[in-house]
Amino acid sequence: MERTLSIIKPDGVEKKLIGEIIRRFEAAGIRIAAMKMLRLTKAEAEGFYAVHRGKPFFESLTDFMSSGPIVVMVLEGEDVIRKNRELMGATNYKEAKPGTIRADFASDIEKNIVHGSDAPETARTEIAYFFSEMDIC
Ligand code: GDP
């Protein structure tokens, strides 16, 4: 059993895709083990995306991520890190496979609807950024 962090980004919430995205996770056999809605401050968004500090899109990305409410979830299941990344599609929606969340709903390389951890170590760190062990069912 594996865990990963999923975020429905401000554009996904704005486009009323919360239900559709959760539906896709559940239809794929993924369990939602924790979930909450919140709005990141600019500083919190910078902390979350600290690995991207110094990249040309860092300012814009952290402005975007703190621009409105997000939904953060802990997903649980076998091979869930890879399965979630597959459901999400490539970072650039133009390269995402048809039927993936980003191919279906994103319209911008930055405003790409969802975030998902990319490896077990980052999943652990990212989950701990938002949830304590007591929050996870
Ligand atoms: P992810 O793991 O697929 O989310 O991709 P990355 O970790 O590489 O990038 C983190 C986030 O930064 C992406 O989901 C996008 O929102 C944003 N991003 C990545 N590359 C670019 C880019 O070239 N330009 C802009 N504006 N945003 C980007």
Side-chain angles (χ1 to χ4, degrees):
M1 218 34 101
E2 198 175 64
R3 283 177 181 171
T4 192
L5 185 84
S6 166
I7 303 180
I8 305 177
K9 296 183 179 185
D11 58 331
V13 174
E14 173 75 25
K15 289 180 174 174
K16 305 194 188 315
L17 292 171
I18 298 171
E20 172 61 16
I21 291 165
I22 293 174
R23 188 194 67 72
R24 289 182 184 211
F25 291 157
E26 292 191 326
I30 293 170
R31 198 174 78 80
I32 316 294
M35 173 161 64
K36 62 184 167 189
M37 181 182 253
L38 57 101
R39 184 171 176 166
L40 290 172
T41 62
K42 171 82 168 162
E44 288 164 346
E46 287 171 353
F48 182 75
Y49 277 117
V51 293
H52 292 302
R53 195 178 282 279
K55 297 207 179 131
F57 57 84
F58 182 72
E59 270 307 307
S60 166
L61 174 63
T62 51
D63 279 345
F64 162 56
M65 286 302 290
S66 56
S67 69
I70 60 173
V71 175
V72 287
M73 285 173 271
V74 177
L75 307 183
E76 196 176 74
E78 206 177 301
D79 202 18
V80 73
I81 296 174
R82 188 193 58 77
K83 273 188 194 158
N84 178 44
R85 299 280 304 184
E86 213 167 278
L87 290 172
M88 288 162 56
T91 309
N92 184 348
Y93 74 101
K94 289 181 184 163
E95 289 160 13
K97 283 192 200 139
T100 60
I101 294 168
R102 285 165 167 172
D104 287 350
F105 303 117
S107 49
D108 188 296
I109 188 166
E110 180 176 278
K111 295 175 182 63
N112 57 4
I113 312 287
V114 277
H115 166 84
S117 313
D118 62 2
E121 191 46 46
T122 41
R124 260 190 297 279
T125 316
E126 292 180 358
I127 288 170
Y129 200 77
F130 292 102
F131 297 98
S132 77
E133 200 50 44
M134 269 177 70
D135 299 323
I136 303 172
C137 304

